[in-house]
Amino acid sequence: MAGSRLMYLRTSLLIGFLFVSFCAFAAEPPFVSNVRAEQRTDGSKLLDVYYDVDDPDSSQLMISIRFSDNNGATYNIIPESLSGDVGLVVPGENKHVIWDAGKDMPGVFNTLFGVAVTADDHFIEDFTIPLPNLPQGAKPLEMVLIPAGSFTMGSPDSEQDRGSDEGPQHQVTISKSFYMGKYEVTQAQWEAVMGNNPSYFIGNPNNPVEQVSWNDCLEFISKLNQMDLGTFRLPTEAEWEYACRAGTTERFYWGDDPNYTQIEDYAWYGGNNIVNGAKEVGTKLPNPWNLFDMIGNVYEWCQDTYSGYSSTPEIDPVVTNSGNYRVLRGGVWNYSADSCRSADRGGNGPDYASYYFGFRLSRTQ
C-alpha cells in the first residue's frame, strides 16, 4: 500500500466537513504511489486527486478509482463524475483525476471516505476474433474493451426531443468490464457463420447485416459460440447505453448539438442518407471509446425485454420478463436526428425482421 494519508477537506456544499482518506492498491507491476488530493477552495465542490503509476512492461494501464464509506472495509462506491487520468492511462508521474464530489454525493457531510486507486495491466484494449471464411477485404470481427463504471441512464425531463420512455433517470453500475463489437455485425461476418445473407441492401460485404430478428441474432450467437472463439451475447440495454455514451452526459456522444449541425460527421441518418439504405460500417467518426455507428445506420437489438425504467440505482440490470417486445437502440439510416440521441429507445417483437434492424456483439472477458 502506498501514498496513504488522511485529509480534512472543508466544502460549503457538503455543509460541514468532508473527511477523506487516500490510499492506493496495485499489484507489482504496476505500482501506484504518491497519492495525494486537494479540495478546491473556489466553491466548485471539485476534488483533485494526484498519483504516480509505474510499469516498465506496459505502455497503457487500466486505472480505476473506488471509494469507501466504511473505513476501508470495502471499496464499493464507484464514482460517476470523474474526469482526467482514469480508464486507459499511460504510466507516468503526477497523474490527475478530478472528482465532482458535490454532484455524486449531494448533502453528505461528516463522513469518512477512503479512496483506492488501482492499476491493472492484465487487459487487452481491443482484439480481433479470427473468424474463418471471411472474403478478402471484409472487415474483421473486432472487439473493444469497455471498462467497468457507473453512469446516469436515461434522459432528463428538460432534454430536447426527449421521449417519454427515457425516464426516470437513474444511476446504473456496470460492475465488470466487457468487450463490445467495434462495428455492427457485417453481412460478410454473418455469412461466415450462418452460410447465408438475409439482408435487403446487398452488394457490399461490409454493410451491416439487416433483416434479422432478435431470435435470428440469438441463433447466430449460438453458432458463433460453438466455434471456440469465445462466449458472445447481445449487450444488455444498460451496457449498450453505457458504451454509447462513453463517459459523456450530453444528448449525443459529441455534445448536445441543438441544431443538428454535427451529426452528419458521426451517423448515417435520414438527414444525410440521400441514397436510401444501410451503409458500410466504420465510415463515420467513432465515439470516445472507438465504437463506430453506435447511432444511425441500423437499429441494434439488445438482450432486454422492452419495459419501463427503475427509479432506483441498479447494478448490471437486465430485464427478462415476459413482455412482447425486445429493446432496439441507436437510430437508423432513414429516421430523424432525434432518434439518434444516446438515450433514445424503442422495441419490436423478437420474431420481427426488418431492413432497419441489425445488431452488435458483446463478449465477456
Side-chain angles (χ1 to χ4, degrees), residues 174-360:
I174 305 299
S175 66
K176 297 179 180 178
S177 58
F178 64 99
Y179 288 94
M180 179 81 89
K182 189 174 187 177
Y183 309 106
E184 295 159 330
V185 172
T186 67
Q187 294 178 24
Q189 293 163 3
W190 178 279
E191 192 162 1
V193 174
M194 302 295 288
N196 61 63
N197 184 2
S199 303
Y200 182 84
F201 298 105
I202 60 175
N204 184 339
N206 290 322
N207 282 357
V209 67
E210 20 86 6
Q211 290 202 141
V212 291
S213 69
W214 186 83
N215 285 329
D216 292 333
C217 296
L218 296 191
E219 183 180 356
F220 172 92
I221 290 169
S222 177
K223 290 190 176 183
L224 178 61
N225 286 343
Q226 294 172 23
M227 301 172 72
D228 295 325
L229 298 173
T231 302
F232 298 87
R233 56 181 175 82
L234 289 175
T236 68
E237 184 178 16
E239 288 173 340
W240 191 97
E241 185 171 328
Y242 176 66
C244 177
R245 289 186 178 279
T248 65
T249 59
E250 294 82 12
R251 293 201 306 156
F252 303 98
Y253 46 73
W254 59 89
D256 278 325
D257 199 5
N259 297 317
Y260 301 107
T261 56
Q262 297 172 270
I263 187 172
E264 66 178 44
D265 294 330
Y266 294 87
W268 290 111
Y269 76 110
N272 66 354
N273 200 27
I274 305 304
V275 179
N276 278 349
K279 297 297 188 291
E280 179 173 342
V281 300
T283 57
K284 295 294 185 178
L285 294 176
N287 78 355
W289 287 349
N290 206 33
L291 300 173
F292 291 81
D293 301 299
M294 287 298 289
I295 49 94
N297 219 3
V298 291
Y299 272 120
E300 300 178 14
W301 289 107
C302 295
Q303 279 190 44
D304 303 58
T305 302
Y306 178 81
S307 182
Y309 278 161
S310 169
S311 59
T312 58
E314 297 181 293
I315 299 175
D316 301 323
V318 56
V319 180
T320 57
N321 60 38
S322 57
N324 294 325
Y325 280 9
R326 300 297 182 268
V327 171
L328 288 158
R329 284 301 207 112
V332 70
W333 52 265
N334 74 334
Y335 277 24
S336 58
D338 61 281
S339 71
C340 295
R341 292 173 303 106
S342 297
D344 185 79
R345 58 197 301 256
N348 217 306
D351 289 323
Y352 188 76
S354 165
Y355 55 31
Y356 295 150
F357 301 165
F359 70 109
R360 185 185 304 261

Side-chain angles (χ1 to χ4, degrees), residues 126-145:
D126 52 27
F127 65 95
T128 298
I129 304 298
L131 196 63
N133 303 319
L134 284 177
Q136 186 175 3
K139 275 188 165 59
L141 180 53
E142 297 182 70
M143 308 299 292
V144 175
L145 179 67

